[in-house]
Amino acid sequence: MTKYFEVTRRDAAARLGKLLLDTHYPTPLILHPGKDSPIVFAGSLWARNILSPDEVDPGKLVILPGKPMPLHARPEIVKEINDSVKQERNHWEKRAGATGQIIQPACPDIPHADMYVIGAARQMENNPRMLLDTVIHIKNNTPPDTALYAPALATPENLALLIYLGIDIVDDILPTIKAYDGIYMMPDAEYRLSDLQVLPCSCRVCSNTSVEDLQEMSAQERGKLVAGHNVNRLLEEKQIAVQHIRGGNLREYVEGKCRSSPWLTALLRLMDQEHVYLEQHTPTYRSVTMYANTSESLDRVEVKRFAGRVHSQYQAPAANILLLLPCSARKPYSISNSHQLFNRATGRNRRALNEVIITSPLGIVPRELELVYPAAHYDIPVTGHWDLEELSWVTGCLVDYLKTNKYSHIIAHVDGAYRDICQSAAETLGLDIIFTAQGSVTSARSLGTLRSTISGIVRDEGYALRKTTDMAKNMLKGIANYQFGRGAGWLLVPDSASIKAPFPKYQVYDDKMQLASLNPRTGTLIPTLEGAKRLLELGTYQIRIDDFVPGGSLLAPGVVDADVNIRPSDQVIVVGEQVLGVGRAMMGGAEMVRSTRGNAVDLRKVMEI
Ligand SMILES: [Zn+2]
């Protein structure tokens, strides 16, 4: 725990926060080493030029003296050297104020600190695996509300990725050193100053000089000016990253940013393989469109999470007929022109079937989940061409669905790549699929075949049609299971429930009491206190608090225990000795248990029990 750092906003591993020292320093923070820096290194014990505790202002954070080691120092050496400096560090124990500890990649035990410094970080440029493993090692073994500093590593090119990785503090050391080596930095590349004909920048420094002017200067003078430019670009990158964290689209930004260098692209891909690290802090809803513009988009948390929950939590309503449909550019699908035509073609027989929409990058979207984030909130570049990775991913999602949901008749009203996907899934599982489109899925002929095929099956087999009211109930049950886990559908939308309000502003009532309402913007079910009571037996998405009655916000120190599956933006149930509450999580379940600061839940309603 620390009282010197607070996280105010999270987006996957990236965070906005503040260092609470003599004044508040917003993070991500770029340090400029010097006497005004809020963070001071007490010194290297190798050189024995260390500060004494009374030389450091108590309002500053001090990185305790240590013996910096090379990147590949072996764990036993790291331990031996760390043990040898313990005595020196004892002098610092009585000092009031915040402390930082340098952590070697191989360091097995991480001592307490308010901020952790990645040892030998400079040597991790171009070593994405080592950087990622070290950051995850430190994060997994330290409280979530401590800050992480990567010294002498940030450049305008890599800063957004470092922030996305979860680093809170960097410095301007590298842009400054490189400037004196004649390196001119831009957000997407580094140039030798001698290779430039013009300065491709209009910052304060570059507006007032030229390549010719710089060449005529002394090396010292030139280095100072280029350092000014390099640091300007670093500061600008930080501002852009902060804006993207606030806007909820840092992921889209880093998918573009990483293209400038193979090691940054490798870093992003390796991070995606560490799904748990990114997933635990990724919100379940964003207010902005999710753009899937690159091949890495297939691996982003939102895509994997949606597919995972469709497979493991969602339960399809009972039906004998499955209708597979292509996605539409307009969302939710059912308001698009093509889906309106499909609906008209299936008519009342629609009530005898389940509909599943095939799409990239989400895989498959059951009709009941079409409003759920990100099914109604994504956009992709449409060219008509699907690459092999996309085809294989979407086919896999369809195969998984067809393995767990059995139908007597599968109809696919699709063409092009969608048809290839259906055929491939059918071959894999040995299933028969009836294709109803000849060419365009919206042609009169195709729609006519769709209509006659479905009405023929319903008539010949004598399949019953669902009640109209059951269609809405099925949708809400599907969302409840997707959101809270299997079993939630029966509890929050029982068979005896009635659904009020027109699509999609549904409200669920039972015994004249409202249990939940559907937020059409997010596709989220918002339980009332009565709904929360009914969900209690499921045991999921619950937060246990101390014996007190919280107000509008539940702060992390008040949390005793929480479901580890809770993610930021999730609807949660707060349970105390005297109270039951409902609200929206502001941080993950594990983080709210381990944090000593910050708002854990925005409470909507609280009742004393
Ligand atoms: Zn410039």
Side-chain angles (χ1 to χ4, degrees), residues 184-186 199-207 228-230 232-233:
Y184 182 93
M185 294 174 150
M186 291 297 287
L199 298 176
C201 172
S202 54
C203 79
R204 186 177 39 79
V205 173
C206 301
S207 305
H229 154 84
N230 286 353
N232 280 343
R233 301 311 308 231

mmCIF file of all heavy atoms in Angstrom, residues 184-186 199-207 228-230 232-233, ligand 1:
data_model
loop_
_atom_site.group_PDB
_atom_site.id
_atom_site.type_symbol
_atom_site.label_atom_id
_atom_site.label_comp_id
_atom_site.label_asym_id
_atom_site.label_seq_id
_atom_site.Cartn_x
_atom_site.Cartn_y
_atom_site.Cartn_z
ATOM 1 N N TYR A 184 17.951 13.017 -34.356
ATOM 2 C CA TYR A 184 16.765 13.879 -34.370
ATOM 3 C C TYR A 184 15.545 12.951 -34.342
ATOM 4 O O TYR A 184 15.375 12.109 -35.223
ATOM 5 C CB TYR A 184 16.815 14.709 -35.645
ATOM 6 C CG TYR A 184 15.709 15.706 -35.845
ATOM 7 C CD1 TYR A 184 15.854 17.031 -35.424
ATOM 8 C CD2 TYR A 184 14.537 15.343 -36.494
ATOM 9 C CE1 TYR A 184 14.850 17.958 -35.639
ATOM 10 C CE2 TYR A 184 13.528 16.268 -36.709
ATOM 11 C CZ TYR A 184 13.691 17.577 -36.278
ATOM 12 O OH TYR A 184 12.695 18.495 -36.496
ATOM 13 N N MET A 185 14.711 13.071 -33.305
ATOM 14 C CA MET A 185 13.634 12.090 -33.103
ATOM 15 C C MET A 185 12.285 12.615 -33.571
ATOM 16 O O MET A 185 11.921 13.752 -33.280
ATOM 17 C CB MET A 185 13.528 11.746 -31.618
ATOM 18 C CG MET A 185 14.733 11.017 -31.085
ATOM 19 S SD MET A 185 14.585 10.803 -29.306
ATOM 20 C CE MET A 185 15.504 9.288 -29.114
ATOM 21 N N MET A 186 11.570 11.738 -34.260
ATOM 22 C CA MET A 186 10.184 12.022 -34.627
ATOM 23 C C MET A 186 9.318 10.897 -34.053
ATOM 24 O O MET A 186 9.837 9.854 -33.655
ATOM 25 C CB MET A 186 10.055 12.098 -36.151
ATOM 26 C CG MET A 186 10.742 13.326 -36.764
ATOM 27 S SD MET A 186 10.004 14.890 -36.210
ATOM 28 C CE MET A 186 8.456 14.879 -37.128
ATOM 29 N N LEU A 199 14.029 20.364 -41.544
ATOM 30 C CA LEU A 199 13.557 19.821 -40.264
ATOM 31 C C LEU A 199 12.063 19.520 -40.399
ATOM 32 O O LEU A 199 11.271 20.445 -40.616
ATOM 33 C CB LEU A 199 13.802 20.832 -39.139
ATOM 34 C CG LEU A 199 15.266 21.191 -38.882
ATOM 35 C CD1 LEU A 199 15.366 22.283 -37.814
ATOM 36 C CD2 LEU A 199 16.066 19.959 -38.455
ATOM 37 N N PRO A 200 11.659 18.238 -40.301
ATOM 38 C CA PRO A 200 10.245 17.894 -40.527
ATOM 39 C C PRO A 200 9.388 18.132 -39.285
ATOM 40 O O PRO A 200 8.677 17.239 -38.826
ATOM 41 C CB PRO A 200 10.320 16.402 -40.882
ATOM 42 C CG PRO A 200 11.514 15.908 -40.144
ATOM 43 C CD PRO A 200 12.478 17.051 -40.031
ATOM 44 N N CYS A 201 9.474 19.313 -38.737
ATOM 45 C CA CYS A 201 8.780 19.582 -37.473
ATOM 46 C C CYS A 201 8.598 21.087 -37.349
ATOM 47 O O CYS A 201 9.403 21.861 -37.866
ATOM 48 C CB CYS A 201 9.638 19.055 -36.319
ATOM 49 S SG CYS A 201 9.033 19.514 -34.687
ATOM 50 N N SER A 202 7.532 21.490 -36.675
ATOM 51 C CA SER A 202 7.331 22.929 -36.493
ATOM 52 C C SER A 202 7.195 23.272 -35.017
ATOM 53 O O SER A 202 6.443 24.156 -34.644
ATOM 54 C CB SER A 202 6.094 23.381 -37.271
ATOM 55 O OG SER A 202 4.993 22.598 -36.887
ATOM 56 N N CYS A 203 7.923 22.526 -34.173
ATOM 57 C CA CYS A 203 7.887 22.837 -32.746
ATOM 58 C C CYS A 203 8.614 24.168 -32.508
ATOM 59 O O CYS A 203 9.223 24.734 -33.415
ATOM 60 C CB CYS A 203 8.480 21.700 -31.911
ATOM 61 S SG CYS A 203 10.276 21.646 -31.876
ATOM 62 N N ARG A 204 8.560 24.618 -31.289
ATOM 63 C CA ARG A 204 9.128 25.923 -30.925
ATOM 64 C C ARG A 204 10.601 26.009 -31.345
ATOM 65 O O ARG A 204 11.061 27.022 -31.858
ATOM 66 C CB ARG A 204 8.984 26.083 -29.403
ATOM 67 C CG ARG A 204 9.366 27.402 -28.821
ATOM 68 C CD ARG A 204 9.081 27.404 -27.326
ATOM 69 N NE ARG A 204 9.415 26.122 -26.683
ATOM 70 C CZ ARG A 204 10.648 25.745 -26.351
ATOM 71 N NH1 ARG A 204 11.651 26.539 -26.592
ATOM 72 N NH2 ARG A 204 10.863 24.566 -25.773
ATOM 73 N N VAL A 205 11.350 24.900 -31.171
ATOM 74 C CA VAL A 205 12.774 24.905 -31.516
ATOM 75 C C VAL A 205 12.952 24.936 -33.034
ATOM 76 O O VAL A 205 13.675 25.777 -33.583
ATOM 77 C CB VAL A 205 13.474 23.651 -30.930
ATOM 78 C CG1 VAL A 205 14.914 23.552 -31.425
ATOM 79 C CG2 VAL A 205 13.424 23.679 -29.412
ATOM 80 N N CYS A 206 12.262 24.023 -33.720
ATOM 81 C CA CYS A 206 12.494 23.859 -35.162
ATOM 82 C C CYS A 206 11.982 25.050 -35.971
ATOM 83 O O CYS A 206 12.474 25.313 -37.070
ATOM 84 C CB CYS A 206 11.855 22.566 -35.648
ATOM 85 S SG CYS A 206 12.506 21.132 -34.777
ATOM 86 N N SER A 207 10.978 25.768 -35.427
ATOM 87 C CA SER A 207 10.463 26.943 -36.137
ATOM 88 C C SER A 207 11.497 28.052 -36.183
ATOM 89 O O SER A 207 11.421 28.946 -37.020
ATOM 90 C CB SER A 207 9.210 27.482 -35.440
ATOM 91 O OG SER A 207 8.271 26.478 -35.322
ATOM 92 N N GLY A 228 16.110 19.915 -27.186
ATOM 93 C CA GLY A 228 14.857 20.652 -26.978
ATOM 94 C C GLY A 228 13.757 20.123 -27.886
ATOM 95 O O GLY A 228 12.632 19.873 -27.452
ATOM 96 N N HIS A 229 14.103 19.907 -29.152
ATOM 97 C CA HIS A 229 13.124 19.355 -30.100
ATOM 98 C C HIS A 229 12.701 17.937 -29.685
ATOM 99 O O HIS A 229 11.510 17.623 -29.627
ATOM 100 C CB HIS A 229 13.704 19.327 -31.522
ATOM 101 C CG HIS A 229 13.079 18.279 -32.376
ATOM 102 N ND1 HIS A 229 11.891 18.468 -33.047
ATOM 103 C CD2 HIS A 229 13.448 16.984 -32.612
ATOM 104 C CE1 HIS A 229 11.562 17.350 -33.673
ATOM 105 N NE2 HIS A 229 12.486 16.436 -33.431
ATOM 106 N N ASN A 230 13.701 17.072 -29.404
ATOM 107 C CA ASN A 230 13.388 15.676 -29.058
ATOM 108 C C ASN A 230 12.450 15.603 -27.854
ATOM 109 O O ASN A 230 11.501 14.812 -27.827
ATOM 110 C CB ASN A 230 14.674 14.900 -28.751
ATOM 111 C CG ASN A 230 15.487 14.585 -30.005
ATOM 112 O OD1 ASN A 230 15.031 14.837 -31.123
ATOM 113 N ND2 ASN A 230 16.683 14.042 -29.826
ATOM 114 N N ASN A 232 10.436 17.980 -26.811
ATOM 115 C CA ASN A 232 9.111 18.487 -27.214
ATOM 116 C C ASN A 232 8.263 17.369 -27.807
ATOM 117 O O ASN A 232 7.080 17.232 -27.510
ATOM 118 C CB ASN A 232 9.249 19.581 -28.283
ATOM 119 C CG ASN A 232 9.604 20.917 -27.676
ATOM 120 O OD1 ASN A 232 9.445 21.110 -26.478
ATOM 121 N ND2 ASN A 232 10.095 21.834 -28.498
ATOM 122 N N ARG A 233 8.879 16.558 -28.663
ATOM 123 C CA ARG A 233 8.114 15.480 -29.312
ATOM 124 C C ARG A 233 7.721 14.411 -28.297
ATOM 125 O O ARG A 233 6.667 13.790 -28.412
ATOM 126 C CB ARG A 233 8.905 14.838 -30.461
ATOM 127 C CG ARG A 233 9.330 15.770 -31.578
ATOM 128 C CD ARG A 233 8.248 16.677 -32.144
ATOM 129 N NE ARG A 233 7.032 16.069 -32.573
ATOM 130 C CZ ARG A 233 6.462 16.260 -33.766
ATOM 131 N NH1 ARG A 233 7.037 17.033 -34.659
ATOM 132 N NH2 ARG A 233 5.319 15.697 -34.055
HETATM 133 ZN ZN ZN B 1 10.844 20.202 -33.521
#
